[in-house]
Amino acid sequence: MKSVIRVEHLSKAYRIGAAEKKSDTIAGALWNAIKSPVTNFKQLYNLRALGQDEATVFWALKDINFEVKEGEVLGIIGHNGAGKSTLLKILSRITEPTEGRVTIHGRVSSLLEVGTGFHPDLTGRENIYMNGTILGMRKKEIDAKLEEIIAFSGINKYIDTPVKRYSSGMTVRLAFSVAAHLDPEILIIDEVLAVGDVEFQKKCIGKMEEVSNAGRTVLFVSHNMASVQKLCTSGLILESGRKRHEGPILDIIERYLEIFTETAEYHFERPETDTGGWVKAVTIEDLNGELLPVIPVGQAWQVRITFRLNRDFESFIVALGINTKEDFPLRTIYSKAVWTKAGIYEAIFAQGDILYASGHYKLVIGISTYERAIHYIDKGLSLHISELMGEVDERIIRNKNVGYILNPADVSINVLD
């Protein structure tokens, strides 16, 4: 399979500097005007010597290398500020790299920001033709796709209205429809899809799957790991402008979540407040109380929560929530409401009756009365379930479409004919 995108030693730098202070006086403004040619020359010289003064240089990307094969769907993930959007802008030829080079074989269609490539004073229909022309399509080719583009966008009623009067959601609908339907050989999509509603996001994911199944290449940036896992075949992680990992998408998502939780703390201390108490420690253990950093699929385990109550409570509940890595609630377990006195307590939540698929999960812990929360933690607590189990076929639990809850069972299969 041939390579359609090759990125070699790619770097992008920006100079950090304060804007020149404007004068509030006529004399000061006149002096600034006189010295501006000299100032501009100095700035131009500094840009040419970009790498010499590292204190004023920010490297948005640094020495990035990868290639994308024809028909591959590449997910690019990383925290905010990792360099994802900068990389896509270079690949879309919106900006030039400072160092390195990018080789692209094929027609690129991209959707990076709301309204990218649209002229606000032109109507939706006129912008479709303008974008198609920029991509090198003939009018007859655009005519053949026009009704399909309009129908997919769902803004038929407003297609002859200037784009500047569209809402951000309408603009994204039309922009994606144009980008995906004008026969791109390479489709580049940034997180901008999050602006659309849930129904349209599903349509977009379906369309990107259709494009990739037709042998086209897709680059997709998103913070929604469910969408990335469903759509992408491979991925790479950017961190602080550098490529940290690259590989099959399931491995990349797992590694990304490991990076996210590398600094997670399982001990929480805070001073006494009028909330009435706080969680002191959380541990994940086997049923004998031994710590379990990784839980094999199918093994029984428990969560031990140590907490302090600052005063007596008449109705007191401890709850444990298990969420997916995308923060979708899977299960909530809670204690019975009891009267209790101030002191240090522990709650143990045994887990052995439900078989979770391999992957990363999040724990949510709450201590509350019927009236209000005493202490609530929904960040920093992670759960890692591995694939190490003989009774479950690894090919099943590694399948990205099996869901989160597994139920091995004896199934009777009868021959009917």
Side-chain angles (χ1 to χ4, degrees):
M1 191 174 295
K2 69 176 183 179
S3 174
V4 294
I5 298 176
R6 184 184 296 274
V7 175
E8 300 173 278
H9 304 291
L10 184 68
S11 298
K12 179 66 177 178
Y14 294 97
R15 181 165 293 284
I16 303 171
E20 183 177 356
K21 185 178 180 181
K22 294 184 179 179
S23 176
D24 294 330
T25 66
I26 295 176
L30 180 61
W31 172 245
N32 287 339
I34 293 172
K35 71 175 185 178
S36 61
V38 177
T39 302
N40 292 339
F41 176 79
K42 287 181 178 179
Q43 290 177 346
L44 181 61
Y45 177 81
N46 288 338
L47 286 174
R48 289 175 177 173
L50 194 58
Q52 296 180 13
D53 184 8
E54 293 297 329
T56 61
V57 173
F58 168 68
W59 289 93
L61 296 172
K62 189 66 175 175
D63 198 27
I64 303 294
N65 295 275
F66 67 92
E67 62 178 287
V68 185
K69 302 293 185 181
E70 184 179 27
E72 186 177 351
V73 184
L74 178 70
I76 303 173
I77 58 180
H79 299 303
N80 291 330
K84 305 184 299 298
S85 295
T86 301
L87 174 60
L88 295 194
K89 286 178 181 178
I90 294 175
L91 295 178
S92 301
R93 298 190 176 97
I94 293 174
T95 187
E96 291 292 324
T98 304
E99 298 175 355
R101 67 175 184 174
V102 175
T103 306
I104 299 177
H105 301 283
R107 183 164 57 199
V108 177
S109 183
S110 58
L111 179 58
L112 306 183
E113 297 175 3
V114 176
T116 300
F118 280 0
H119 193 294
D121 293 321
L122 298 181
T123 66
R125 189 187 304 272
E126 291 167 340
N127 271 291
I128 293 173
Y129 279 98
M130 182 183 73
N131 274 263
T133 302
I134 291 172
L135 286 173
M137 298 181 69
R138 298 179 179 178
K139 184 177 182 298
K140 288 184 178 180
E141 294 177 291
I142 304 173
D143 288 340
K145 294 282 186 178
L146 184 63
E147 294 306 317
E148 187 179 354
I149 292 172
I150 296 173
F152 187 92
S153 69
I155 60 169
N156 312 52
K157 185 177 178 180
Y158 309 100
I159 196 63
D160 292 309
T161 301
V163 166
K164 64 183 179 183
R165 307 196 189 283
Y166 287 7
S167 67
S168 59
M170 292 168 63
T171 306
V172 166
R173 282 175 170 269
L174 183 60
F176 178 85
S177 190
V178 170
H181 285 84
L182 292 181
D183 291 332
E185 293 166 306
I186 301 170
L187 179 61
I188 299 177
I189 304 293
D190 204 346
E191 184 67 34
V192 69
L193 287 184
V195 176
D197 55 44
V198 173
E199 180 183 357
F200 186 68
Q201 288 181 34
K202 290 181 179 179
K203 286 178 65 176
C204 293
I205 295 296
K207 185 61 182 178
M208 284 190 279
E209 287 181 325
E210 180 184 322
V211 169
S212 65
N213 290 336
R216 311 275 172 76
T217 303
V218 179
L219 273 64
F220 183 47
V221 166
S222 178
H223 290 287
N224 186 330
M225 292 300 105
S227 297
V228 171
Q229 181 172 319
K230 178 178 176 60
L231 178 67
C232 301
T233 54
S234 60
L236 64 86
I237 300 173
L238 291 181
E239 183 179 1
S240 301
R242 296 179 180 271
K243 185 183 78 173
R244 180 151 179 176
H245 297 284
E246 182 181 8
I249 194 60
L250 285 175
D251 295 338
I252 288 300
I253 290 175
E254 291 292 311
R255 185 62 191 133
Y256 174 68
L257 293 170
E258 287 174 8
I259 294 171
F260 180 76
T261 57
E262 276 177 355
T263 58
E265 295 288 344
Y266 290 93
H267 296 269
F268 301 85
E269 293 286 355
R270 71 181 194 182
E272 291 190 16
T273 65
D274 60 3
T275 56
W278 72 96
V279 173
K280 293 179 67 66
V282 180
T283 56
I284 300 172
E285 313 166 341
D286 64 17
L287 298 187
N288 296 318
E290 297 293 329
L291 293 179
L292 279 177
V294 178
I295 303 169
V297 171
Q299 177 173 328
W301 52 281
Q302 63 187 22
V303 176
R304 185 186 304 269
I305 302 170
T306 306
F307 57 94
R308 179 184 181 88
L309 297 180
N310 296 336
R311 60 176 182 266
D312 299 354
F313 288 96
E314 293 184 2
S315 59
F316 166 77
I317 296 172
V318 184
L320 171 69
I322 299 174
N323 293 3
T324 68
K325 53 183 175 288
E326 299 83 24
D327 268 336
F328 180 83
L330 287 179
R331 188 185 188 193
T332 300
I333 315 159
Y334 54 90
S335 66
K336 293 181 180 180
V338 295
W339 183 92
T340 189
K341 291 181 175 289
I344 298 176
Y345 295 85
E346 71 174 13
I348 300 175
F349 292 83
Q351 305 286 310
D353 53 338
I354 290 183
L355 185 64
Y356 295 93
S358 61
H360 282 270
Y361 298 84
K362 296 181 179 180
L363 300 184
V364 178
I365 294 171
I367 303 174
S368 67
T369 68
Y370 281 127
E371 291 77 26
R372 61 188 177 86
I374 299 173
H375 193 187
Y376 183 76
I377 301 171
D378 63 350
K379 295 179 180 178
L381 292 171
S382 63
L383 172 68
H384 185 193
I385 297 180
S386 75
E387 310 142 5
L388 306 174
M389 179 182 175
E391 297 180 12
V392 179
D393 193 325
E394 181 177 331
R395 291 169 295 179
I396 296 176
I397 60 178
R398 287 288 289 173
N399 188 316
K400 62 181 179 180
N401 297 314
V402 299
Y404 297 99
I405 307 298
L406 301 175
N407 285 102
D410 292 328
V411 179
S412 298
I413 301 177
N414 302 314
V415 177
L416 301 179
D417 188 4

